[in-house]
Amino acid sequence: MDFGLTDEQLMMQDAVRALLANEHPPAVVREGLEAETAHDPGLWSMLAGLGLVGLCLPEEHGGSGLELLDAALMAEVAGEGAMPGPLLGHQLGSLAILLGGDHDQRARWLPALASGEAIATIAWAEPGDVWEPDHWSVEVRDGRLSGTKAHVLHGNHADVIVVGGAGSRLFVVSAPGDGVEVTSFDGIDRTRRLDTVVFDDTPVSELPEGVAAAPRVFDAGLVLLAADAFGCAHRLVRETIDYLDEREQFETKLTQFQGIKHELANMVTGLEPTRALWWYAAHALDHIPTAASRVAAMAHAHITDCSMAIARACVDLHGAMGYTWESNVHLWYKRIMFDRAFLGGPDRQRDRAASMGEW
Amino acid sequence: MDFGLTDEQLMMQDAVRALLANEHPPAVVREGLEAETAHDPGLWSMLAGLGLVGLCLPEEHGGSGLELLDAALMAEVAGEGAMPGPLLGHQLGSLAILLGGDHDQRARWLPALASGEAIATIAWAEPGDVWEPDHWSVEVRDGRLSGTKAHVLHGNHADVIVVGGAGSRLFVVSAPGDGVEVTSFDGIDRTRRLDTVVFDDTPVSELPEGVAAAPRVFDAGLVLLAADAFGCAHRLVRETIDYLDEREQFETKLTQFQGIKHELANMVTGLEPTRALWWYAAHALDHIPTAASRVAAMAHAHITDCSMAIARACVDLHGAMGYTWESNVHLWYKRIMFDRAFLGGPDRQRDRAASMGEW
Amino acid sequence: MDLELGTHHVTLRDQVGLFLDEHWPAERRDRHVPDDEIRLFRSLAIEHGYLYRGVPVVYGGSERPIDPIADDVIERAFTEARAPLGIVGQGPDMVVPTLLRNGTEDQRRELIAPTLMGDITWCQGYSEPTAGSDLASLRSRAELDGEDWVIHGHKIWTSDADRADWMFGLFRTEPDAPRHRGITFLLVPMDQPGVEVQTIMAMTGQPEFAEVFLTGARTSVRYQVGERGSGWEVSRDLLVNERNLMGFRLQQLFESVLELARTRKIGGAPAIEHPGIRRTLIDIESDLLSARFSRFRSLTNAARGRSDPNADLAGAVKKLHASTMAKRLTQFGLDLAGADEGLRAPGGASVDLGRANEPGGWAMNYLFAHASAIAGGAPNIQRNIIGERALGLPRDLRTPTGRSVS
Amino acid sequence: MDLELGTHHVTLRDQVGLFLDEHWPAERRDRHVPDDEIRLFRSLAIEHGYLYRGVPVVYGGSERPIDPIADDVIERAFTEARAPLGIVGQGPDMVVPTLLRNGTEDQRRELIAPTLMGDITWCQGYSEPTAGSDLASLRSRAELDGEDWVIHGHKIWTSDADRADWMFGLFRTEPDAPRHRGITFLLVPMDQPGVEVQTIMAMTGQPEFAEVFLTGARTSVRYQVGERGSGWEVSRDLLVNERNLMGFRLQQLFESVLELARTRKIGGAPAIEHPGIRRTLIDIESDLLSARFSRFRSLTNAARGRSDPNADLAGAVKKLHASTMAKRLTQFGLDLAGADEGLRAPGGASVDLGRANEPGGWAMNYLFAHASAIAGGAPNIQRNIIGERALGLPRDLRTPTGRSVS
C-alpha cells in the first residue's frame, strides 16, 4: 500500500506548471477570453511535446501509457493555470476510442490523437440537460446519424468526434465534414469553449465496445473535472492571500486581520482533505472497478461544491476589485462553474452516487 | 398597519425580566437542575401575580385577555432567563380548553387556571414520535380513555390534563387520580420536565370543539417554542460577549480578536431578523388565520435551527469552560434542544409548511 | 400590532387590481413594452397614488401618508401583474430622499420630478481608490471659486457613470477640519469637460461601474446639499436608504425560483415535489419573511421616532443578511435551472431579476450577488460594523501607528 | 499509488474473518461481554498480529511492518463484527508512542504492556487555568530533590484523572530558560498524598474531566521522558498523535447513522429513501472518505520521510476538519433519530460511538462533539495555527505590550 505520488508524477506536474507560468500565464489566458477561439496551437504543441495529449494512450500507439491518476494530476495543474483549450474533450474522446474501439479503430485514430496532430472530443450531452449515457436518444440508421448534441468541448477544433447514441452506444465521426454543423455556445468559461453540433445524415463508425466504455469515460470525466476544480480553488486561495498581503487598510496588512485569516483557514480546512478524495477516485478508475463509479460521482459533487464556495468567498475577500473583469479571480471562478455543471452538476452526481450505494 | 410592540408589552417584558433576574437568576435555576422537580411554587405564584399564567384567557374568567403575541413575548423572556416550570404546558392546556370547551367547561376550569391555582398541561404526543393531532391514536370508549401519552410537560404537577385522542379529539382529565399513572422521563432540558402518562380506563370529558381547537393550539405551541429559543439564543450571544470581554489571551481582550468579532456578527445577522418572523407568526395566530398555521411551522423550524447553531458556536467560543456543567451555557443550549425537538423537530415542520404552501 | 388588511386596504387592493386590469392587462406581461407606454403608465400610477408615495405631489410624487401595508399591497399587486413599479436606482432611492431631507426648495423643484420619471439619472461618487470602506479618508477635493465649487479627484466603483446626467458625491472642502467634518455633499453635472468617465468591466462582462476622473469639474454652490462640512451626516442617511433596496429584489428572485421549481423536473417529477428541495425552499422563504417583517418593524419604529437597541441591531445586520440570502438564493436558482444554465454565460443586457428564468439569467444573478454584497462595504466590513457599532465590541486591534477599522 | 488488496491483504482479510468467526461469533455482537472475556480476546488478537501492530512484541504489541491497508482491513473487519479493537485512550494513543520514541528501555518495559491491556490507565497534565492554548506559559513547576522531582501546580481539563493510575504531563523545570525550553515531560503516579483530584462535570452530566492539584507530589527521575527542558518537543509528537483519534470514531458514527437511516421512517418510507437525506449522506460520506485517504496520504508521507507543504497543510487542518464533521454528523444523527431522541438526556455511562442508536446515544454524541472540538485547542485556535503555520500568514495583531497568538 502506498498512497502518494511518485517522483515522476511530481516532476511532470512541475514541468507543466513551469510551462504555463512561463509560456501561458494568466495575462495570456486573458487575451484568449476575447478571442474567437480559446485554442492556441502553440500551447497545444508544447503540451504534446510534454506527452500530455496522449497521456493515457498506450505506448504502442505513441501515447505515454500512464494512468488516469496522471491525467487528473495534469487536470489539477490545468486548473491552477486556467489553461485554455481542448485538452479535456480530447482526453475523453481518445479514451473512448481506446476503451470502446476494436484493434483497427485504435490503430486508425489513436496515433494521431496521441501525437496531438488530431484533436478529439466527445459529443454526448443533448439539449434539455441530457448527460448520462443511458439517457442519450440520438439514433443511428444504416451507419448514418442525425440529431443534435449540446456542450461539445471545442467542437469546432475536433478532427474526431465520439458521439453518444441511444443505448449508450458510441460512434466516431470525422470532422469537419458534410453533415456536421458546429455552432458556438456562449458559455460561462471562456477558457474551454462549448459548441452545439448538429449531425445530419452523417456517416459514422461504431465503437463495438462503446456500451461498456461510455460509463467509464463518463466517470473519468467526473474525476478530471473534480481535479481541475481543486486546482482552481487551490490557486484562488493563494492568489487571494497574495493580493491581501499586498494591501493595507488602516495601515495594517489585510492578512493580519484575524477575521480574514480565519476565513482563509476555513477554506483550506474544507479543501485540502479533498485532494486525497480525487487521488483515490482517479486511482480507483484504473484499479478498483467496483468502487470507481460511485467515488467518481462523490468526488465530483463534493469537490466542485467546495471549490465553488471558496471561489465565492475569494471574490468577496478581494472587495470590489474581485468583481471586476480586470482581476484574474473570475478566470478560476468561472472555470469552477464549468467544472461543477459539466456532466450534470453536483446534486445529480450525489443522486447517482446514492443509487450506487450499498444501502 | 403597525408592526411594533406597545408600551404595555415592553413594560410587561421588563417586569418579568426583572422578576427573573432578582428572584430566579441562573444560579437559582441551576439548583433546580439537580432537584426532583423544576416547578417552584414560589416562582409560580409570582408569575400568577403578574397575570402571566392566565395571559391569554378571557377577563371574564380571571385572565388577562391578551393575545398570543403577548404570550410569545413572555416566552422570549422565559427563554432569556431559562425560566423553569410548567408554564408552557399550562398555557397550551388552558388554550385548548378555551378554544375547544363549551360554556360550562370553560366556566369550570378556566378560573382556577387563570389564577394559577390549578395547573394545566397537554398530553398529546405518543410514543414513536407521534405529534400532530391527526396522528393521535388513543381511543375513548364510553367516556373512558386508555393509552399511553409521551412527553407530557410537567405531567406530575398538572391538575388538568388535556389529552389528544384519535380523530384530533380533545379530552379533559382531572389529575392526579385513579387511572392516571405518571412516570418521569429523563429529558435533555432540566428546566422543563417531561413525563410519560399512562391512562387506564380514565374518565374523561370531551371538549366539543376540540377537533377545531387542536391544530390551533399546536400552532401556538410552535410559536411559543420559537420565541423561547430566540430568547435563549439572544441571551447566549450576550453571555458569550460578556464572558469573552472579561478574558484576556496574550494580554488582549478576547472580544478584540476580529475572528471572534466576525463570528458574533454572523450569529446576530442570522438571528435578529427572525425576531420579526416570530412576531408575525404570533400575530397571525390571532389575526391572519389563513397564514397562521404555515408561518408557525416556518418560524419554528427556522428559528430553532438558527438558535441551535448559535448555541453550538457559543459553546466553542467559551473554550473548555463552555463544555462544563459549571458554566451556564448549557442551560440555554439544552433549552434550545428542547424547543427544537418538541412537537416534532424542524424538518418535520418544514415538510408541513411545504405541504401548506400554494405550490 | 396590526397587519390585517382592514377595509381600507382591502379597498385599496381591489382598486389597484382594477387599475392594473385596465392599464396593464395580462397580454402585456410577457411582451416588450415600449418606453413611452411605460412612462405613461407610471404617470397614471402616480396620479392614482400608487408610486412614489413618500414624495410630495409638488415634486412629482403622490404624497400619501406613511403606510407600509399599503405599499406592500401595491407592490405585490404590481409584481404579480409584472407591471413596472417606480424606477429603481440611485436617483429615486438615494438622491430623492436626501433632497427631501436636506435639499433646498430650488434643488427639490428642479431635480426630484425628472429623477422620478427617469429623465435625470444619477451616479454615486463616494468610493475612491484609496478610500473604500473608510469614507472619512476621502481625497477628492472641492474648492470655492466665486459661485462654483471646483473639483479635483478620482472616484471609483461608480455604477452607471457612463450614462448618468449627474453625480452625487462627497468631496473634501475643509482640509483643516477633522477628517469627518471636512466633507461636503455636492451634486455635479456629468456633461462637462472636467469630467472623464472610464468604464470598468465587471466579471459579468458588463461595464457595471466606472472610474470618474474630475479635473477642474465645476458645480454651482446652488448644488451643495446641506451645510459645508456636513457631508458625512448627509451621506449616512443615504447609506441607510441604499440598504433598503435588496429585500424587494430578493422577493422577486424567490418568485422566479418558485416558477422554476414548478417547471423543472428531477427524476421525472417537478422539482417542487422533491422533499429536499421543498425543505430548502421553505427555509429560504422563512429568511425572506424575516427580512420583510424586519423592514415593517424598522418602518414602524421610524414612524414612531423611537429608539430601540434591538431595532438598531436589526438595521445593522440588514445588508449582510440580504447579501447572504442573495448568494444562497442565486446558488439555489442556478442549480435548480440545471447544468445547461450552469454552463451558460450571464445573459441579458443588465440584471433583471424578474427575468431570472430567461437564458443566462441565473448566471447573471449569481455573479451579481457579489456586487450587491460588496457595494457599500464588503461582508467583512459589515461584520466589523455590526460587531463594534451594534454589539458594542471593542475596536479591532491596530498596528502601533495604525488607525482602527470602521 | 497502490491501494488494491493484493494477495497478501486478501489472505489477511480471510484470516481475520476466520479469527473473528471463531473468537467473536455473531451472538456476541449485541450482548454484554464480561471484561475478562474481552481481555482474553485482545490477547489472542495481539498474538495473531491484529492489534497494536506498531508496538514491538517485547513490549506487548504484535510488531508488524507499517501497513496502513492491513490496519484498515483489520479495523473494518473488527468493526463489522463489533469486536473490541485495541483500547482507545490517552495511554495507548499518546503515552505508548511517546515512550517508544523518547522513553528509556526501563520505562518501556515497565509501562507499555500494562497500558495496552488497560491495567494502567493515564491522564494528561497539559492545560492549566492560565495556560490553555498557550502551553509555553505553563506555571506548574517541578524541582529536583535527590532522585525525585517534586511538583507543585494545578492542572485542569484533565480527562479521567479520577480513574487514572498515572499522569503524563509538562512541568516547568528550568525557570530561567526561555519559555519553550524550560519544560520537562514527566510521568507522575496519581496515588500519592501530593495529588488531589477534583472532578469537573461536563455538560453531558458526566465527570468527563478534572482539576488536579499537585502539592509536593513526587516522581522519580526514572520517570522523566526525554532530556530536561525538552518537554515541548516531546509533547509536540503527542499532539500529532491525539489528532489521529477522530477519524475512526467518525467512521463508526457514520455506520450508526446509516443503520438509523435504514430503520427510521419519514412519511412512511425508510429515511434512506428520502432524496434530501440521501444527498446529505453522500456528502458526509465524501467528507469522511477525504479524511480517510488524507490519513493514508500522511502515513505514506511519514513512511517515506518526505516533507511536502501540502501534506503539512493537510495535517494542520485535520483536527478542525474532524471536529467540523463531528458536529455535522451528530446533528444529522440527532435529527434523524427523531424528536423522541432529541428530547432525551444524554445516555450511557460514557460516550460509546458504537452505541449511538441506543437511548440517549445521539444526545451524548451531540454534546461530546464539543469536547473533541475543544480538546487540544478550540476551533479558533486551530484557525490561527492553520493560517499562520500552514498558510504562512503574518501573526495576529497584538496589543502594544501583548504577545501574539499561537
Side-chain angles (χ1 to χ4, degrees):
Chain A
M1 133 89 197
D2 176 274
F3 197 71
L5 305 183
T6 62
D7 288 340
E8 291 72 26
Q9 286 168 327
L10 293 171
M11 280 162 53
M12 187 78 175
Q13 284 200 307
D14 285 343
V16 181
R17 253 184 215 117
L19 170 78
L20 293 176
N22 297 327
E23 308 292 334
H24 219 86
V28 178
V29 174
R30 299 181 59 87
E31 288 168 19
L33 300 185
E34 252 65 51
E36 201 182 320
T37 168
H39 174 42
D40 175 341
L43 175 63
W44 183 255
S45 45
M46 286 188 276
L47 296 176
L50 285 172
L52 233 71
V53 305
L55 202 71
C56 297
L57 297 179
E59 292 175 78
E60 57 173 305
H61 297 304
S64 310
L66 296 178
E67 303 197 342
L68 270 157
L69 175 59
D70 300 282
L73 291 167
M74 289 307 113
E76 180 196 8
V77 177
E80 287 174 17
M83 187 182 88
L87 186 63
L88 176 63
H90 177 77
Q91 285 173 313
L92 297 178
S94 306
L95 195 62
I97 293 173
L98 173 66
L99 297 177
D102 60 24
H103 183 270
D104 290 351
Q105 289 169 325
R106 293 166 168 214
R108 175 173 164 202
W109 283 301
L110 295 186
L113 296 177
S115 70
E117 190 188 324
I119 295 177
T121 193
I122 52 168
W124 286 15
E126 294 176 9
D129 257 327
V130 170
W131 291 95
E132 295 87 355
D134 50 350
H135 294 175
W136 297 336
S137 71
V138 163
E139 300 270 2
V140 170
R141 279 185 210 157
D142 303 329
R144 289 177 172 270
L145 182 148
S146 295
T148 300
K149 285 288 181 176
H151 304 316
V152 180
L153 281 151
H154 287 264
N156 59 335
H157 300 119
D159 304 291
V160 179
I161 306 180
V162 180
V163 189
S168 309
R169 290 161 68 191
L170 294 181
F171 305 91
V172 182
V173 172
S174 291
D178 287 348
V180 180
E181 194 192 317
V182 179
T183 20
S184 74
F185 173 84
D186 189 14
I188 186 71
D189 173 17
R190 304 279 299 168
T191 63
R192 286 166 302 172
R193 306 292 174 89
L194 295 173
D195 295 301
T196 304
V197 182
V198 179
F199 298 96
D200 181 14
D201 206 35
T202 319
V204 298
S205 155
E206 177 159 12
L207 298 175
E209 302 299 325
V211 176
R216 290 188 59 193
V217 177
F218 191 89
D219 294 341
L222 289 172
V223 175
L224 295 180
L225 293 166
D228 190 277
F230 180 94
C232 291
H234 193 260
R235 173 74 176 256
L236 260 180
V237 172
R238 274 284 147 211
E239 291 282 323
T240 303
I241 291 173
D242 290 347
Y243 179 80
L244 296 174
D245 221 34
E246 292 291 308
R247 271 176 76 91
E248 298 197 346
Q249 207 164 38
F250 308 100
E251 295 164 46
T252 302
K253 272 191 179 189
L254 289 182
T255 40
Q256 278 186 283
F257 286 106
Q258 204 193 41
I260 286 173
K261 188 182 291 181
H262 284 194
E263 209 168 332
L264 290 165
N266 284 340
M267 288 180 195
V268 293
T269 299
L271 184 66
E272 187 55 38
T274 70
R275 187 194 296 271
L277 182 61
W278 65 259
W279 281 9
Y280 171 57
H283 179 74
L285 288 171
D286 282 314
H287 297 284
I288 316 177
T290 50
S293 199
R294 182 161 184 267
V295 77
M298 290 168 79
H300 177 273
H302 193 69
I303 293 169
T304 61
D305 265 352
C306 176
S307 302
M308 194 74 247
I310 288 173
R312 294 200 98 178
C314 283
V315 169
D316 290 348
L317 283 179
H318 275 75
M321 184 53 77
Y323 184 65
T324 63
W325 188 272
E326 186 189 332
S327 158
N328 288 332
V329 170
H330 71 106
L331 295 181
W332 293 288
Y333 184 107
K334 292 171 179 171
R335 199 165 164 112
I336 295 171
M337 284 180 78
F338 177 101
D339 290 333
R340 198 170 166 269
F342 199 71
L343 298 181
D347 280 336
R348 193 143 159 179
Q349 304 312 337
R350 281 191 192 94
D351 291 344
R352 291 181 64 243
S355 71
M356 290 184 266
E358 290 168 6
W359 293 352
Chain B
M1 134 85 195
D2 176 273
F3 197 70
L5 303 183
T6 63
D7 288 339
E8 291 71 28
Q9 286 169 326
L10 294 170
M11 281 163 51
M12 187 77 174
Q13 283 200 308
D14 284 343
V16 181
R17 252 183 216 120
L19 170 77
L20 294 176
N22 298 327
E23 308 292 335
H24 219 87
V28 178
V29 174
R30 299 180 60 87
E31 289 169 19
L33 299 185
E34 251 66 48
E36 202 182 319
T37 169
H39 174 44
D40 174 340
L43 175 63
W44 183 255
S45 46
M46 286 187 276
L47 296 175
L50 285 172
L52 232 73
V53 306
L55 202 72
C56 297
L57 297 179
E59 291 176 78
E60 58 173 306
H61 296 305
S64 309
L66 296 177
E67 303 196 340
L68 271 157
L69 175 60
D70 300 282
L73 292 166
M74 288 308 112
E76 179 196 9
V77 178
E80 286 174 15
M83 187 181 87
L87 187 63
L88 176 63
H90 177 77
Q91 285 172 313
L92 298 178
S94 306
L95 195 62
I97 293 172
L98 173 66
L99 298 176
D102 61 24
H103 183 269
D104 290 352
Q105 289 170 323
R106 294 168 169 215
R108 176 174 163 200
W109 282 300
L110 295 186
L113 296 176
S115 71
E117 190 188 326
I119 294 176
T121 194
I122 52 167
W124 286 14
E126 294 175 10
D129 258 326
V130 171
W131 291 95
E132 296 87 356
D134 50 350
H135 294 174
W136 297 337
S137 71
V138 163
E139 300 270 4
V140 170
R141 278 186 212 156
D142 304 330
R144 287 176 174 270
L145 181 147
S146 295
T148 300
K149 286 288 181 174
H151 304 316
V152 180
L153 282 151
H154 287 264
N156 59 335
H157 300 119
D159 305 291
V160 179
I161 306 179
V162 180
V163 189
S168 310
R169 290 162 68 190
L170 295 181
F171 305 91
V172 182
V173 172
S174 291
D178 286 348
V180 181
E181 195 192 316
V182 179
T183 19
S184 73
F185 172 85
D186 190 13
I188 186 72
D189 173 17
R190 303 279 298 167
T191 64
R192 287 166 302 173
R193 305 294 174 88
L194 296 173
D195 295 301
T196 304
V197 182
V198 179
F199 298 97
D200 181 14
D201 206 35
T202 320
V204 298
S205 155
E206 177 159 10
L207 298 175
E209 302 299 325
V211 177
R216 291 189 57 194
V217 178
F218 190 89
D219 294 340
L222 289 172
V223 174
L224 295 180
L225 293 166
D228 190 276
F230 180 94
C232 290
H234 193 261
R235 173 75 176 257
L236 261 180
V237 172
R238 274 285 147 210
E239 292 282 321
T240 303
I241 291 173
D242 290 348
Y243 179 81
L244 297 174
D245 221 35
E246 292 290 308
R247 270 176 76 90
E248 298 197 345
Q249 207 164 39
F250 309 99
E251 295 164 45
T252 302
K253 272 190 177 189
L254 289 182
T255 40
Q256 278 184 284
F257 286 104
Q258 204 192 41
I260 285 173
K261 188 182 293 181
H262 285 193
E263 209 169 334
L264 291 165
N266 285 340
M267 288 181 196
V268 293
T269 299
L271 184 66
E272 187 56 38
T274 70
R275 186 194 298 271
L277 182 61
W278 64 259
W279 281 9
Y280 171 58
H283 179 75
L285 287 171
D286 280 315
H287 297 284
I288 316 177
T290 50
S293 199
R294 183 161 184 267
V295 77
M298 292 168 78
H300 178 274
H302 192 70
I303 294 169
T304 61
D305 265 352
C306 174
S307 302
M308 195 73 245
I310 287 173
R312 293 201 99 177
C314 284
V315 169
D316 290 348
L317 284 178
H318 275 74
M321 183 55 77
Y323 184 64
T324 63
W325 187 271
E326 187 189 332
S327 158
N328 288 331
V329 170
H330 72 105
L331 295 181
W332 293 287
Y333 183 107
K334 292 171 180 171
R335 200 166 164 111
I336 294 170
M337 283 181 78
F338 177 102
D339 290 332
R340 197 168 166 271
F342 199 72
L343 298 180
D347 280 336
R348 195 143 158 179
Q349 304 312 338
R350 280 190 193 96
D351 291 344
R352 290 181 63 242
S355 72
M356 291 185 267
E358 290 168 7
W359 293 352
Chain C
M1 193 170 285
D2 180 11
L3 280 176
E4 211 169 340
L5 285 193
T7 329
H8 168 65
H9 289 125
V10 171
T11 309
L12 175 66
R13 190 182 58 193
D14 296 344
Q15 286 169 341
V16 174
L18 289 171
F19 171 82
L20 289 168
D21 287 346
E22 188 179 344
H23 300 290
W24 199 265
E27 57 269 27
R28 271 193 167 173
R29 273 187 65 145
D30 294 314
R31 135 182 110 76
H32 177 76
V33 180
D35 284 351
D36 58 337
E37 288 184 37
I38 291 179
R39 191 185 174 86
L40 184 64
F41 174 81
R42 281 211 176 96
S43 302
L44 279 169
I46 293 169
E47 229 168 75
H48 281 74
Y50 300 152
L51 296 185
Y52 305 128
R53 293 162 50 83
V55 179
V57 169
V58 60
Y59 305 135
S62 64
E63 195 170 1
R64 302 289 151 130
I66 292 180
D67 184 350
I69 198 84
D71 297 345
D72 194 59
V73 163
I74 295 163
E75 280 179 3
R76 295 208 152 227
F78 273 56
T79 310
E80 262 173 44
R82 297 218 175 170
L85 281 156
I87 287 173
V88 171
Q90 305 190 320
D93 298 319
M94 300 178 73
V95 177
V96 170
T98 304
L99 291 182
L100 287 176
R101 193 186 294 245
N102 299 101
T104 64
E105 183 61 21
D106 282 352
Q107 288 167 354
R108 293 177 187 163
R109 289 199 177 264
E110 177 184 349
L111 297 169
I112 292 181
T115 298
L116 296 180
M117 291 312 288
D119 297 328
I120 291 181
T121 59
W122 292 83
C123 65
Q124 169 185 320
Y126 282 12
S127 294
E128 298 182 3
T130 54
S133 323
D134 182 19
L135 286 183
S137 65
L138 292 173
R139 293 188 188 172
S140 293
R141 66 183 199 280
E143 282 162 11
L144 212 50
D145 175 27
E147 288 300 291
D148 277 359
W149 286 105
V150 180
I151 304 171
H152 289 88
H154 179 184
K155 296 289 181 181
I156 196 170
W157 313 127
T158 313
S159 304
D160 304 325
D162 51 333
R163 279 162 286 174
D165 303 302
W166 288 79
M167 169 185 277
F168 61 99
L170 296 173
F171 303 93
R172 188 163 300 282
T173 53
E174 331 295 314
D176 302 328
R179 283 154 25 92
H180 281 77
R181 313 269 358 136
I183 295 167
T184 300
F185 191 103
L186 300 177
L187 311 177
V188 185
M190 293 292 282
D191 185 15
Q192 57 169 311
V195 176
E196 193 198 331
V197 175
Q198 203 169 304
T199 57
I200 303 174
M201 189 85 93
M203 69 192 291
T204 55
Q206 305 291 328
E208 290 183 30
F209 28 54
E211 292 181 272
V212 181
F213 299 90
L214 301 147
T215 43
R218 301 183 85 90
T219 193
S220 157
V221 287
R222 288 190 294 120
Y223 295 122
Q224 169 189 320
V225 182
E227 300 297 312
R228 276 179 71 151
S230 73
W232 180 251
E233 286 74 30
V234 175
S235 73
R236 277 168 74 102
D237 294 339
L238 269 194
L239 284 175
V240 170
N241 283 314
E242 180 175 43
R243 287 167 198 169
N244 266 333
L245 290 179
M246 285 284 292
F248 192 65
R249 293 190 177 171
L250 290 178
Q251 187 59 42
Q252 281 185 296
L253 256 192
F254 184 67
E255 303 293 334
S256 299
V257 162
L258 274 184
E259 187 186 314
L260 185 60
R262 283 187 211 102
T263 48
R264 284 284 299 174
K265 300 268 203 273
I266 296 180
I272 204 152
E273 291 172 16
H274 184 285
I277 302 280
R278 290 165 76 82
R279 288 180 176 177
T280 307
L281 280 171
I282 284 293
D283 203 51
I284 291 176
E285 190 181 346
S286 304
D287 232 354
L288 286 166
L289 270 183
S290 301
R292 177 159 175 249
F293 285 97
S294 284
R295 187 173 147 254
F296 284 7
R297 181 181 162 210
S298 303
L299 290 169
T300 299
N301 255 37
R304 293 181 181 178
R306 181 185 284 168
S307 119
D308 165 1
N310 285 327
D312 295 345
L313 181 56
V317 305
K318 188 155 57 181
K319 178 163 190 293
L320 183 58
H321 184 239
S323 70
T324 306
M325 278 197 296
K327 279 182 209 148
R328 184 180 181 194
L329 194 44
T330 54
Q331 179 86 66
F332 186 70
L334 185 74
D335 288 349
L336 197 56
D340 280 355
E341 280 306 307
L343 289 168
R344 198 185 295 274
S350 67
V351 176
D352 183 342
L353 301 168
R355 293 172 190 242
N357 288 323
E358 294 186 3
W362 282 108
M364 179 59 93
N365 279 293
Y366 186 71
L367 300 180
F368 191 71
H370 291 293
S372 52
I374 294 164
N380 275 344
I381 303 294
Q382 296 295 327
R383 291 184 187 106
N384 261 44
I385 293 173
I386 295 164
E388 294 174 13
R389 296 208 194 135
L391 293 178
L393 303 178
R395 298 206 148 206
D396 272 354
L397 295 173
R398 61 195 79 182
T399 50
T401 62
R403 286 162 287 119
S404 147
V405 169
S406 83
Chain D
M1 193 169 287
D2 179 12
L3 280 176
E4 212 170 339
L5 285 193
T7 327
H8 167 65
H9 288 125
V10 171
T11 309
L12 175 67
R13 190 182 58 191
D14 296 345
Q15 285 169 340
V16 174
L18 290 172
F19 172 82
L20 289 169
D21 286 347
E22 188 179 345
H23 299 290
W24 200 264
E27 57 270 27
R28 270 193 168 172
R29 274 189 63 145
D30 295 314
R31 132 183 112 76
H32 177 74
V33 181
D35 285 351
D36 58 337
E37 289 184 36
I38 292 179
R39 190 185 175 86
L40 184 65
F41 173 82
R42 281 210 175 99
S43 301
L44 279 168
I46 294 170
E47 229 168 75
H48 282 74
Y50 301 151
L51 295 184
Y52 305 127
R53 294 162 49 84
V55 179
V57 169
V58 60
Y59 306 133
S62 64
E63 195 170 0
R64 303 289 152 129
I66 292 180
D67 183 349
I69 198 84
D71 296 346
D72 194 59
V73 163
I74 295 163
E75 280 178 2
R76 297 210 148 223
F78 273 56
T79 310
E80 261 172 44
R82 297 219 175 170
L85 281 154
I87 287 173
V88 172
Q90 307 191 317
D93 298 318
M94 299 178 73
V95 177
V96 171
T98 305
L99 291 182
L100 287 175
R101 193 186 295 245
N102 300 101
T104 64
E105 184 61 20
D106 282 352
Q107 288 167 354
R108 293 177 188 163
R109 290 200 176 260
E110 178 185 348
L111 297 169
I112 293 180
T115 298
L116 297 180
M117 291 312 288
D119 297 329
I120 292 181
T121 59
W122 293 84
C123 65
Q124 169 185 320
Y126 281 13
S127 294
E128 298 182 2
T130 54
S133 323
D134 182 20
L135 287 184
S137 66
L138 293 173
R139 293 188 187 173
S140 293
R141 65 185 201 282
E143 282 161 12
L144 213 49
D145 174 27
E147 287 300 290
D148 278 0
W149 286 105
V150 181
I151 304 172
H152 288 87
H154 179 184
K155 297 288 180 180
I156 195 169
W157 313 127
T158 313
S159 304
D160 304 325
D162 51 332
R163 279 163 285 173
D165 303 302
W166 287 80
M167 169 185 278
F168 61 98
L170 296 173
F171 302 93
R172 188 162 299 283
T173 52
E174 331 295 314
D176 301 330
R179 283 154 26 92
H180 282 77
R181 314 272 353 140
I183 294 166
T184 300
F185 192 101
L186 300 177
L187 311 176
V188 185
M190 292 293 281
D191 184 16
Q192 58 169 312
V195 176
E196 194 198 330
V197 174
Q198 203 169 304
T199 57
I200 303 174
M201 189 85 93
M203 69 192 290
T204 55
Q206 304 291 328
E208 290 183 29
F209 28 53
E211 292 181 272
V212 181
F213 299 90
L214 301 147
T215 44
R218 302 183 84 89
T219 192
S220 156
V221 288
R222 287 190 293 121
Y223 295 122
Q224 169 189 321
V225 181
E227 300 297 312
R228 277 178 69 150
S230 73
W232 180 251
E233 285 74 30
V234 174
S235 73
R236 277 168 74 103
D237 294 338
L238 269 193
L239 284 174
V240 171
N241 283 314
E242 180 175 43
R243 286 166 199 170
N244 267 332
L245 289 179
M246 287 284 294
F248 191 64
R249 292 190 176 173
L250 290 178
Q251 187 60 42
Q252 281 187 295
L253 257 191
F254 184 67
E255 302 293 334
S256 299
V257 162
L258 275 184
E259 186 187 314
L260 185 60
R262 283 186 210 103
T263 49
R264 284 285 300 174
K265 300 268 203 278
I266 295 181
I272 204 150
E273 292 172 14
H274 185 286
I277 302 279
R278 290 165 77 80
R279 288 181 177 177
T280 307
L281 280 171
I282 284 292
D283 202 52
I284 292 175
E285 190 181 345
S286 304
D287 232 354
L288 286 167
L289 270 183
S290 301
R292 178 159 173 249
F293 285 97
S294 283
R295 187 172 147 255
F296 284 7
R297 180 179 162 213
S298 303
L299 290 169
T300 300
N301 255 38
R304 293 181 181 178
R306 180 186 282 167
S307 120
D308 165 0
N310 285 327
D312 294 346
L313 181 54
V317 305
K318 188 156 58 179
K319 179 164 190 292
L320 184 58
H321 185 239
S323 70
T324 306
M325 278 197 295
K327 279 183 209 145
R328 183 178 182 196
L329 194 44
T330 54
Q331 179 86 65
F332 185 69
L334 185 75
D335 289 348
L336 197 56
D340 280 355
E341 280 306 308
L343 290 168
R344 199 185 295 274
S350 67
V351 177
D352 183 343
L353 301 167
R355 294 173 189 242
N357 288 323
E358 295 187 3
W362 282 108
M364 178 58 91
N365 280 294
Y366 186 72
L367 301 180
F368 191 72
H370 291 292
S372 53
I374 294 164
N380 275 344
I381 303 292
Q382 296 296 326
R383 291 183 186 106
N384 261 44
I385 293 173
I386 295 164
E388 295 173 12
R389 297 208 194 137
L391 293 178
L393 303 177
R395 299 206 146 206
D396 273 355
L397 295 172
R398 61 195 78 182
T399 49
T401 63
R403 286 160 288 120
S404 146
V405 170
S406 83

